[in-house]
Amino acid sequence: MEKIRCGWCEKDDLYRAYHDKEWGRPVYDDKTIFEFLILESFQAGLSWYTILSKRENFRKAFDHFDYQKMAVYSEHKIEELMNDSGIIRNRMKILAAVTNAQKFMEVQKEFGSFSQYIWNFVGGKPIDHQPETLADVPATTEISDNISKDLKKRGFKFMGSTVVYAHMQATGMVNDHIKSCFVR
């Protein structure tokens, strides 16, 4: 019997594996949360599939998303990234990744962990929307609006409400798997 999945992931095996094993599963460790923040910020204006297909290249280029290393990237490293055809070569997004690494660590200092900070917006546990169809899944919510505003106030870049909501979905802060999906 064929597994029923959320329709957006049926493009290929890469997408199906991401859907089946990662998307919507709660993530509480800062390293993974940071990876998704950076990947989501690069997605702005692009498809998630584009980013997902370059994920391993991003990991290699960005020192496996080590935010302590990223926070002190030199101009030489920025130029190296700008010349890396395996990632999205957008100077503003690359510079934002450096800024976001710095701001991420500031939040860690203030709250003990970034996880503690971000999960506080949903009371520490996932919100289960139980959508019937993909059309029932929002692009933003009041919570993603609030997180976006707070991140921007703290100096984060490329963290609009749509990016934040996609991050919430990716890290399981919300469960938007459709009701008939086997992952649910």
Side-chain angles (χ1 to χ4, degrees), residues 47 79 81 121 143 151 172:
S47 76
E79 288 309 312
L81 291 167
F121 284 94
I143 294 171
L151 288 171

Side-chain angles (χ1 to χ4, degrees), residues 81-93:
L81 291 167
M82 283 297 297
N83 290 310
D84 187 336
S85 61
I87 65 168
I88 305 302
R89 295 179 288 183
N90 177 308
R91 183 173 293 279
M92 287 175 54
K93 289 180 180 182

